[in-house]
Amino acid sequence: MYLAHRTFPATRLRRMRADAFSRQLMQEHRLAPQDLILPVFVQEGDNQREAIPSMPGVERLSLDLLLQEAREIADLGIPAMALFPVVGVEGKSELAEEAYNPNGLVQRSVRVLKEAVPELGIITDVALDPYTTHGQDGIIDEQGYVLNDRTVETLVKQALSHAEAGADMLAPSDMMDGRIGQIRQVLEQEQLVNTRIFSYAAKYASHYYGPFRDAVGSAANLGKADKKTYQMDPANSDEALHEVAMDLVEGADMVMIKPGLPYLDIVHRIKKELGVPTFVYQVSGEYAMQMNAIEKGWLSEESMMEALLCMKRAGADGILTYYAKRAAQILRGV
Ligand code: PBG
């Protein structure tokens, strides 16, 4: 038997680990700047930057400052940026009409970014939570239940407004049923055939999104409500395959699993069983835990690189991470 021959002392697994060169040769997975997508928070104004206390190193930026950031990350070899708007009270309503304003913050940002840094892929978030007074990702009835089909109608308008502004990739993060198909249909109708759809296909109702909700200012609006009637139960794995398969059939080009580190079994299953472009989101809560420990000196910075590498080993083709710029700098030795 094959294994019988691979025993001590003929086989010493430590031999290959003895020097850096042989460790390098047998390395099965690698992290590169090309694997990373940087999520960013954009706000109105000029020369405005606001720190997010729970997320060391992450800031809400006005568009002029975001342009500089876009230039820098493109130069580091990061292929894309995912845009999240910080919307003030004036942009929030029951029906989230601001979501599809052709001159809204996201739509304007996309136009300016594509003009200034054309090679950087711009991904927009398709979901209503920044625009609703109640902080849910969709339109609700009197009981507060998020109405699926009514929400999808608005998401389609939002998606089209992003695509018309020049967004390269639309990322629906709302978890409504059937939205990928409806968005794909309208993109085809409008001959926007190369606008990619990056589906948050397996998005769990996670408690790790807290710092993000603070960053975009939806936490207070959401209050004690949760998103369990549309986001997935953390107990489920088969259901993730079902979600991803449906989104692919409806026309998604890439799929995402979210959160990251506690959900790598899901990443592994999806990549293995479906073999499609599979991405993972290291979400705000994961980032906050690790970065706050690093800031205190309780963990080393290398722990972050390790977490990202482990996501690739699990099967992710790429990673959305607030650490993308720093990781790319480390990888490039700058
Ligand atoms: C909302 C959205 C969320 C995140 C991305 N898009 C939060 C939520 O679902 O409440 C979370 C990202 C993060 O925590 O880093 N559509």
Side-chain angles (χ1 to χ4, degrees):
M1 197 187 101
Y2 165 77
L3 276 177
H5 297 284
R6 304 204 47 162
T7 52
F8 184 81
T11 297
R12 288 179 183 267
L13 288 171
R14 290 187 56 196
R15 243 180 244 135
M16 286 296 284
R17 294 178 203 143
D19 293 293
F21 89 88
S22 51
R23 286 195 296 270
Q24 258 167 32
L25 284 175
M26 72 177 287
Q27 200 169 72
E28 296 174 44
H29 297 277
R30 286 195 177 88
L31 188 67
Q34 290 75 12
D35 299 321
L36 305 171
I37 296 173
L38 178 69
V40 294
F41 300 108
V42 63
Q43 63 176 11
E44 295 286 359
D46 280 311
N47 199 23
Q48 297 286 314
R49 86 174 53 242
E50 263 177 70
I52 300 158
S54 55
M55 299 175 73
V58 180
E59 295 170 318
R60 306 181 186 97
L61 297 177
S62 54
L63 188 50
D64 51 336
L65 298 181
L66 186 60
L67 280 184
Q68 293 172 22
E69 183 79 350
R71 182 71 268 154
E72 286 174 33
I73 67 161
D75 290 344
L76 283 165
I78 294 174
M81 171 186 265
L83 209 53
F84 294 98
V86 182
V87 178
V89 278
E90 67 291 347
K92 296 187 194 276
S93 63
E94 277 291 301
L95 300 178
E97 290 93 341
E98 179 63 17
Y100 50 88
N101 175 356
N103 289 314
L105 177 59
V106 168
Q107 293 82 352
R108 262 184 289 128
S109 302
V110 169
R111 284 195 290 266
V112 171
L113 283 160
K114 284 315 297 181
E115 174 83 32
V117 192
E119 74 273 29
L120 184 69
I122 300 296
I123 303 171
T124 57
D125 194 62
V126 178
L128 304 183
D129 52 312
Y131 306 99
T132 53
T133 39
H134 44 71
Q136 293 287 2
D137 290 22
I139 291 166
I140 58 173
D141 67 12
E142 299 82 51
Q143 281 75 47
Y145 183 74
V146 175
L147 297 164
N148 193 85
D149 302 10
R150 179 68 190 79
T151 297
V152 171
E153 284 173 29
T154 305
L155 292 172
V156 168
K157 290 189 206 170
Q158 182 186 25
L160 185 59
S161 76
H162 292 178
E164 283 174 339
D168 299 295
M169 200 178 270
L170 310 175
S173 71
D174 56 287
M175 289 296 280
M176 297 302 114
D177 286 323
R179 88 283 203 216
I180 301 296
Q182 300 275 316
I183 292 169
R184 179 57 76 207
Q185 196 187 331
V186 87
L187 291 174
E188 287 291 320
Q189 268 164 20
E190 300 301 319
Q191 274 148 52
L192 293 159
V193 297
N194 283 335
T195 304
R196 280 133 284 210
I197 301 181
F198 184 10
S199 172
Y200 285 70
K203 177 172 175 179
Y204 287 85
S206 171
H207 291 98
Y208 287 91
Y209 306 150
F212 173 95
R213 292 179 189 168
D214 290 333
V216 297
S218 68
N221 298 302
L222 194 61
K224 289 213 176 314
D226 61 48
K227 301 189 177 183
K228 289 180 185 165
T229 71
Y230 47 104
Q231 297 179 350
M232 282 180 54
D233 185 338
N236 296 352
S237 169
D238 287 345
E239 192 190 2
L241 275 154
H242 200 167
E243 277 284 1
V244 169
M246 276 183 65
D247 285 0
L248 289 167
V249 169
E250 289 178 34
D253 301 292
M254 316 206 302
V255 297
M256 196 190 315
I257 290 90
K258 180 183 173 189
L261 216 49
Y263 293 80
L264 291 187
D265 57 316
I266 310 297
V267 174
H268 188 72
R269 264 192 90 180
I270 286 171
K271 186 62 186 177
K272 206 166 174 175
E273 296 187 30
L274 299 170
V276 294
T278 303
F279 288 72
V280 65
Y281 199 144
Q282 183 190 48
V283 300
S284 58
E286 296 174 63
Y287 177 86
M289 288 195 301
Q290 213 159 336
M291 286 305 287
N292 284 294
I294 289 168
E295 278 220 320
K296 289 203 159 62
W298 294 343
L299 278 178
S300 68
E301 229 190 350
E302 285 83 359
S303 68
M304 205 63 173
M305 301 304 275
E306 179 181 332
L308 298 176
L309 179 62
C310 291
M311 290 174 190
K312 285 212 67 188
R313 190 201 60 228
D317 293 299
I319 307 158
L320 278 98
T321 171
Y322 301 98
Y323 198 69
K325 185 177 176 187
R326 182 78 195 108
Q329 286 168 338
I330 291 170
L331 291 164
R332 295 209 176 278
V334 295

